[in-house]
Every structure is written in structure tokens, then in C-alpha cells.
Amino acid sequence: MSDLYIPRLVALIEQASKANEEAFSQAASRFADTLQNGGLVHLYGSGHSVLPAQEMFPRYGSFVGFNPLTDPRVMWHNVLGAGGVRELLWLERTERYAEKFLDHQPLNEGDSIIIFGHSGRNSSGIDTALYAKKRGIFVVAVTSKNNLDKPATHSSGKRLADAADLVIDTCSPIEDAVVPIEGWSRPVAGSSTVLAMIMAHELLARTAEQLSKRGIELPVFASPTIAGVTLHDTDVIYGVYRERMIEAQKRHLPTFQATMRGE
């Protein structure tokens, strides 16, 4: 029996690789600018789109400068009940909720942000993109352009791709699942999350390459299973990350205080 899922996924990866060549280069250059200047590249998603944000940092092979903005209220912790999928599906479609979460995050002018969202129609991602752009942050959407034929439902009239400065196309089909099963009415085996993670790692690798060309090396997480690497090495990198976050929070403080005053 031949593989059902893997060949289809490989074909989508190859399609996305070709479709995004220029966008990858542009995004990596801007991310390198942000990191070179001491800023942060933020990562955001809701629902399953939280997963590529978590996959990108912190993990072995990633490096300091990325900042996942993970809101537990738009991540599912149960299927049903408290913290369940139905709750997050409602909340990620609720306009202006994301702003309340983002007000407390160290988003500063000159930073960058990657927003993951397969359909690109949820308020959570769109609100985050609009919020970030108002604050002088470079916005990259990782989404599927196949969904652009579907009308916007956000009050702004925008989809995530419309609200971003740059779009990385996962090329995932609208239905997400890619394997048709004989006798079944719907396909199985989702593709969007895996593809988004692959796009994320390509962006990460290209950003490192851009920084290297500028003579800059940032601390990289390495597995303590490697000879010569210890858990202490990881703690040192967390310390560097903490220092960058403290500086970002200091820069953000006047904005936060103004927001709390209603200005």
C-alpha cells in the first residue's frame, strides 16, 4: 500500500517553496533588521495556529529574539467543557478581544510579528495585525491564499492577508485535509499546521543566514543530548532572552501607561 498523506504533503511543500521565494527573502531581511536593532520578532496564532508559534521558539535549533505571544484563552486544553474547543472558536471570532491581550505585551515600533492563521478570517489574527501595524510593527501573515476567494467577515472588511505587510502562502487547500478516502464524504489528514511550521522554520533559517552575513550570531538552543552541551547552557540562553525581554518591556512601558490612562 502506498503512502496516502506524505506524497500529498511533499507536493504542497514544494509548491509553497516556489511560491514564497521572494517573500521569504523579504521577511528574513526585515526580521534581521529587527533583531540587529535589539527588537523582537513576535509570534501569534489562535487555535491550532498557536502550534507553529510554539514550535518556532523556544526549541532546539531556534535562537534568541523570537517571542511567542501565547494566550491560553485561545488555545484549547480540553475538547469539551472549560478550556474546550467551542470556547476558543467563539473567542477567536470575537472582535477586539485580542487587543486586550496585546496591550500587555512588549510590542514596540521597529519590531516584527508573524501571525499564523489558515483561513485568515478569524478576528483574533486580523485584530492582531491591525493593532501591530498601528504601532509601527512589520506584519507577516502565514496563511493560505486559497482562502482569499472567501469573503471577509471582519468589520474592517479585511482578511489576515489584507491586513499584513507581507504574506507567506502555505498553499494548503481550503478544506485543510488532503487525503480523500473511498466511501467517506470528507477528506482526512490536515495539512495547514504542518505547512505553517515548515514555513516558520524556513523563515527562522533565512533570518539566521541574514544575520550571519552581517557578522551577527545570536544564542541558539542546542539539545543537552549533544556531547558538550548541558542544561546550564540552556539556562544561559534563557538568561539572554530574559534580558532582551526586560529591555523590550522598558521600551513598552510608556505605551502601556498611556493605554491604561485611555489615551
Side-chain angles (χ1 to χ4, degrees):
M1 179 179 178
S2 61
D3 293 332
L4 296 176
Y5 178 73
I6 294 174
R8 290 177 170 86
L9 186 66
V10 169
L12 288 170
I13 294 169
E14 292 176 345
Q15 181 182 347
S17 176
K18 294 176 183 177
N20 293 298
E21 176 59 37
E22 182 60 31
F24 282 143
S25 296
Q26 291 181 29
S29 179
R30 291 295 296 268
F31 295 165
D33 291 343
T34 291
L35 297 177
Q36 183 176 6
N37 293 326
L40 295 169
V41 177
H42 305 280
L43 314 166
Y44 184 83
S46 63
H48 277 86
S49 292
V50 168
L51 297 176
Q54 292 179 312
E55 168 69 9
M56 200 167 182
F57 186 89
R59 58 121 51 244
Y60 300 140
S62 187
F63 51 90
V64 170
F66 294 100
N67 178 42
L69 302 172
T70 48
D71 181 354
R73 288 152 295 198
V74 290
M75 303 161 61
W76 59 271
H77 309 282
N78 285 305
V79 177
L80 301 174
V85 178
R86 293 181 72 247
E87 293 178 7
L88 87 82
L89 289 175
W90 176 81
L91 196 55
E92 71 177 356
R93 288 167 170 77
T94 301
E95 290 192 26
R96 304 201 66 180
Y97 163 73
E99 296 175 6
K100 304 306 178 186
F101 166 70
L102 295 169
D103 281 342
H104 299 267
Q105 306 305 317
L107 298 167
N108 295 306
E109 185 175 358
D111 283 356
S112 299
I113 187 170
I114 307 172
I115 303 174
F116 300 94
H118 169 62
S119 72
R121 300 173 79 212
N122 288 331
S123 297
S124 179
I126 297 167
D127 283 346
T128 299
L130 296 173
Y131 183 100
K133 288 188 72 172
K134 285 180 182 177
R135 285 152 182 80
I137 295 167
F138 178 65
V139 178
V140 173
V142 177
T143 187
S144 174
K145 288 185 177 180
N146 287 318
N147 288 291
L148 292 180
D149 289 337
K150 299 167 72 175
T153 55
H154 193 270
S155 62
S156 67
K158 296 180 182 293
R159 295 154 298 193
L160 177 57
D162 304 318
D165 295 302
L166 188 69
V167 178
I168 302 294
D169 184 10
T170 64
C171 297
S172 178
I174 293 175
E175 61 268 39
D176 200 333
V178 294
V179 180
I181 302 295
E182 186 176 354
W184 285 38
S185 59
R186 294 179 178 178
V188 301
S191 62
S192 65
T193 307
V194 180
L195 288 163
M197 288 183 177
I198 291 170
M199 301 302 104
H201 280 294
E202 183 68 27
L203 288 169
L204 185 149
R206 291 193 183 216
T207 301
E209 183 181 53
Q210 285 282 333
L211 289 168
S212 176
K213 290 177 179 179
R214 303 178 190 189
I216 299 169
E217 180 179 4
L218 294 177
V220 177
F221 284 106
S223 171
T225 58
I226 299 171
V229 178
T230 68
L231 287 174
H232 175 67
D233 297 324
T234 300
D235 288 337
V236 169
I237 295 175
Y238 280 128
V240 176
Y241 170 72
R242 180 177 176 82
E243 290 174 3
R244 187 175 283 244
M245 291 299 296
I246 289 172
E247 290 303 313
Q249 292 284 8
K250 287 179 180 177
R251 290 175 56 205
H252 180 253
L253 184 58
T255 302
F256 172 74
Q257 291 172 330
T259 300
M260 295 301 101
R261 291 194 297 266
E263 298 176 2

